[in-house]
């Protein structure tokens, strides 16, 4: 390619590049496409959406037969107590009216029930069931779940209290009415009724026996089709390991069989957070799950609370705990605690309780993730993440960026992988609605930008070629002989030697290369050879000195 053409094509390519740069919008940055990159939404919004599918409501249940004996008054002890009442009246220590005397007697009996009441027949029995609700979270796609130790079992003393509260209420009320009926001529007011009931709460609880005790653990899961609503059912769970309740290593590991592709949450490190960082607690507060006026669906959606990391504490037995001001309630126990990056840094275990039994929202205690990893390692359970979680998180990132066309197929893939997913069906319907409303802002695929660029460049090249051809045709018409002119005979197209020249004058011959502004070998009208039409001048019987552009005589033997 000659230097002239090379320069022309360089200019054309540069012009084409400039046009493409102006015509095409900038492609989106690839860095924003990273699956772990957080969209421009509040941390809590992003965390709740990502972690909710793996956080589940758990329950532990004890069933058994509760047996309590019938009680009777110990006549000897009661006679002594009656005599003491008479002496107290005479001494002016109590009023002489019968109500005051009955109240004094009930207070003394309630303070020492086994002295004044004895067991008798018949034995009374009732089938009872007690339990509690807590929070757990999937740590592997095949059904391993982490929760608190006190969420799966209770001690004997605590268990007796639970059964007494649930099973003995009817017996306590019946026994109290009988003893009050024996107070002839005394009207039982509310104070006396409470004293009588307290007598039998204490006696029946102390003499209660629990037979055929059985324990069960379950996780509340949604059914195929998604949605945590009235279709949710309790799925049995197996207790794999359990530690010591708070203030010990309050950890328990459950296994739900027959699971696959479960959504999980990733584990972080203790060093991921420190004093002053914000912590996020996910779980099921009992004040919501036990409230009847909320729908079941809304009660079964985990709540997210947040608060600062206050300090790191250590129990007298050397167990580390994190103190935080993130609010927590009964039912939050066992729930995961997250850093702002969405990784588990601990598990909510306990909170402080006031003298009146009220939980303090400003003092929650979290078992660090290092203890959780230690306990998982003891059972050779390795935290893992299925494609379900990967695709779901990618789809959420697209959803929060308004890339609805990008998010929809990923949400559908999640639903195909895990039909029981509690939230993906709602996201699919919301995404479809956003697309129909014209709210999609998904970036164009890079291939589309390449095709557009190629099309623009091709169009520019075609325009340049057409313009070039038209220019050549105009120059060719300008250099051609006039219409109707006859070119001179061949013998007049070349200069003859001096000895053969005719007397007739010959028009001066233009030297080779003498053309009228053309670069294609054309000379003046009538001065081109028979090959000039193809851009190659006819040299005749002369040769050209290519160094200087002049003609030299032909070699010997040529004419």
């Amino acid at each position: 390619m000659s230097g002239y053409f090379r320069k022309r094509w360089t200019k054309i390519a540069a012009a084409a590049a400039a046009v493409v740069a102006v015509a095409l919008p900038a492609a989106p940055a690839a860095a924003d496409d990273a699956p772990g990159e957080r969209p421009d939404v509040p941390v809590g919004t992003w965390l709740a959406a990502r972690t909710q599918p793996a956080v589940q409501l758990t329950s532990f249940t004890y069933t058994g037969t509760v047996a309590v004996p019938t009680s009777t008054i110990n006549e000897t002890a009661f006679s002594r107590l009656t005599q003491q009442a008479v002496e107290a009246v005479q001494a002016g220590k109590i009023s002489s009216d019968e109500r005051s005397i009955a109240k004094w007697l009930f207070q003394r009996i309630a303070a020492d029930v086994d002295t004044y009441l004895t067991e008798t027949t018949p034995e009374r029995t009732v089938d009872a069931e007690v339990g509690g609700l807590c929070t757990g979270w999937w740590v592997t796609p095949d059904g391993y779940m982490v929760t608190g130790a006190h969420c799966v079992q209770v001690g004997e003393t605590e268990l007796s209290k639970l059964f007494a509260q649930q099973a003995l209420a009817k017996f306590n009320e019946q026994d109290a009415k009988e003893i009050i009926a024996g107070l002839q001529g005394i009207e039982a007011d509310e104070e006396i009724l409470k004293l009588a009931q307290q007598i039998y709460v204490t006696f029946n609880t102390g003499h209660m026996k629990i037979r055929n005790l059985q324990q069960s653990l379950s996780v509340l899961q949604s059914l195929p089709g998604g949605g945590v609503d009235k279709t949710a059912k309790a799925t049995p769970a197996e207790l794999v390991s359990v530690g010591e309740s708070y203030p010990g290593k309050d950890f328990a590991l459950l296994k739900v069989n027959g699971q696959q592709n479960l959504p999980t949450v990733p584990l972080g490190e203790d060093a991921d957070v420190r004093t002053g960082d914000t912590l996020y607690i996910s779980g099921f507060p009992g004040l919501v799950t036990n409230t009847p006026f909320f729908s079941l669906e809304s009660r079964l959606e985990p709540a997210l609370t947040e608060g600062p990391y206050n300090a790191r504490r250590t129990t007298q037995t050397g167990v580390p705990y994190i103190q935080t001001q993130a609010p927590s309630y009964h039912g939050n126990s066992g729930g995961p605690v997250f850093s702002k990056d969405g990784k588990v840094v601990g598990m909510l275990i306990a909170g402080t309780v006031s003298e009146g039994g009220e939980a303090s929202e400003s003092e929650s205690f979290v078992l660090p993730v290092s203890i959780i990893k230690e306990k998982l390692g003891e059972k050779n359970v390795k935290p893992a993440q299925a494609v379900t979680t990967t695709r779901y998180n990618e789809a959420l990132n697209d959803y929060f960026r308004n890339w609805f066309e990008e998010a929809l197929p990923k949400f559908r893939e999640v639903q195909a992988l895990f039909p029981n997913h509690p939230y993906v069906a709602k996201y699919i319907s919301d995404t479809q609605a956003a697309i129909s409303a014209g709210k999609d802002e998904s970036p164009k695929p890079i291939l589309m930008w390449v095709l557009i660029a190629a099309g623009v460049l091709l169009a520019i090249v075609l325009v340049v070629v057409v313009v070039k051809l038209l220019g050549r045709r105009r120059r060719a018409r300008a250099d051609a002989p006039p219409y109707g002119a006859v070119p001179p005979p061949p013998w007049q197209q070349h200069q003859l030697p001096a000895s053969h020249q005719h007397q007739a004058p010959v028009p001066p011959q233009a030297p080779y290369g003498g053309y009228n502004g053309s670069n294609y070998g054309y000379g003046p009208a009538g001065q081109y050879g028979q090959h000039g039409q193809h851009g190659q001048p006819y040299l005749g019987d002369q040769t050209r000195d290519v160094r200087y552009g002049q003609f030299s005589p032909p070699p010997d033997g040529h004419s």
Side-chain angles (χ1 to χ4, degrees), residues 241-259:
S241 70
V242 60
E244 299 177 359
S245 295
Y246 178 82
K249 295 180 180 180
D250 203 323
F251 168 92
L253 181 64
L254 306 181
K255 178 65 167 69
V256 179
N257 295 320
Q259 304 295 309

Side-chain angles (χ1 to χ4, degrees), residues 462-539:
L462 290 175
V463 170
V464 171
V465 170
V466 170
V467 170
K468 187 72 176 179
L469 291 175
L470 292 176
R472 289 179 60 180
R473 289 185 179 181
R474 285 196 297 270
R475 285 193 296 273
R477 285 196 295 270
D479 291 341
Y483 180 75
V486 179
W491 57 83
Q492 293 184 3
Q493 296 179 16
H494 307 287
Q495 184 68 36
L496 298 176
S499 58
H500 293 81
Q501 289 184 5
H502 296 283
Q503 297 300 319
V506 179
Q509 178 77 17
Y512 178 80
Y515 47 82
N516 295 333
S518 174
N519 198 37
Y520 292 88
Y522 294 102
Q527 297 296 318
Y528 55 89
Q530 61 183 350
H531 296 291
Q533 302 175 42
H534 301 287
Q536 297 295 330
Y538 180 71
L539 300 180

Side-chain angles (χ1 to χ4, degrees), residues 18-33:
V19 172
V20 170
V22 173
L24 294 179
D32 290 339
D33 246 351

Side-chain angles (χ1 to χ4, degrees), residues 414-427:
V414 171
Q415 191 176 48
L417 288 168
F418 185 54
N420 291 31
H421 197 288
Y423 303 104
V424 72
K426 181 67 165 55
Y427 274 114

Side-chain angles (χ1 to χ4, degrees), residues 37-119:
E37 192 78 11
R38 182 165 61 83
D40 187 19
V41 294
V43 176
T45 302
W46 180 73
L47 268 175
R50 289 167 66 95
T51 61
Q52 279 180 336
V55 181
Q56 302 282 298
L57 183 66
T58 67
S59 69
F60 68 92
T61 303
Y62 287 94
T63 59
T65 300
V66 176
V68 291
T70 302
S71 64
T72 185
I73 295 291
N74 184 327
E75 295 295 343
T76 303
F78 188 72
S79 295
R80 290 198 303 265
L81 183 61
T82 303
Q83 183 60 39
Q84 292 172 6
V86 171
E87 294 173 356
V89 170
Q90 292 174 348
K93 294 180 180 179
I94 58 176
S95 300
S96 59
D97 61 282
E98 293 181 346
R99 180 182 180 282
S100 297
I101 296 173
K103 179 180 175 182
W104 186 89
L105 291 171
F106 281 1
Q107 288 174 338
R108 294 300 185 272
I109 295 173
D112 190 7
V113 292
D114 287 333
T115 298
Y116 302 103
L117 298 180
T118 59
E119 293 185 12

Side-chain angles (χ1 to χ4, degrees), residues 142-361:
D142 61 348
Y144 280 101
M145 170 173 282
V146 171
T147 187
H150 70 278
C151 292
V152 299
Q153 65 180 19
V154 294
E156 290 184 8
T157 302
E158 182 65 23
L159 186 61
S160 295
K161 289 181 179 180
L162 291 174
F163 270 109
Q165 292 171 359
Q166 196 274 340
L168 300 182
K170 180 180 178 180
F171 296 145
N172 296 337
E173 183 178 354
Q174 179 181 342
D175 292 344
K177 288 181 178 179
E178 289 180 0
I179 195 172
I180 290 174
L183 299 176
Q184 298 178 358
I186 299 178
E187 183 179 353
D189 58 15
E190 184 177 354
E191 184 178 14
I192 291 180
L193 181 60
K194 286 184 177 180
L195 285 171
Q197 288 181 343
Q198 184 58 48
I199 292 172
Y200 288 101
V201 166
T202 304
F203 178 84
N204 290 337
T205 300
H207 294 263
M208 174 185 67
K209 294 180 177 60
I210 304 173
R211 303 189 180 106
N212 304 320
L213 182 64
Q214 294 183 346
Q215 180 188 10
S216 63
L217 300 168
S218 61
V219 176
L220 199 62
Q221 287 186 289
S222 60
L223 296 176
V228 180
D229 53 22
K230 63 183 180 181
T231 65
K233 68 172 184 177
T235 304
E238 171 190 350
L239 181 60
V240 178
S241 70
V242 60
E244 299 177 359
S245 295
Y246 178 82
K249 295 180 180 180
D250 203 323
F251 168 92
L253 181 64
L254 306 181
K255 178 65 167 69
V256 179
N257 295 320
Q259 304 295 309
Q260 61 180 357
N261 294 327
L262 288 170
T264 59
V265 286
L267 300 187
E269 304 288 342
D270 287 2
D272 291 345
V273 289
R274 56 186 178 181
T275 302
D277 288 344
T278 300
L279 301 182
Y280 302 84
I281 300 175
S282 182
F284 299 89
L287 58 87
V288 174
T289 54
N290 293 327
T291 302
F293 49 80
F294 288 127
S295 69
L296 181 61
E297 181 178 3
S298 66
R299 283 187 284 160
L300 296 181
E301 180 175 332
L304 188 75
T305 60
E306 63 180 81
Y309 181 135
N310 295 132
R312 188 176 178 91
R313 308 295 186 189
T314 303
T315 68
Q316 293 182 354
T317 58
V319 180
Y321 274 92
I322 297 170
Q323 179 184 341
T324 177
Q325 281 181 272
S328 63
Y329 311 90
H330 294 295
N332 277 128
S333 289
V337 180
F338 299 96
S339 67
K340 62 180 178 60
D341 297 321
K343 293 184 178 180
V344 175
V345 293
M347 175 169 54
L348 190 280
I349 295 299
T352 56
V353 179
S354 67
E355 294 181 358
E358 298 295 329
S360 173
E361 295 183 11

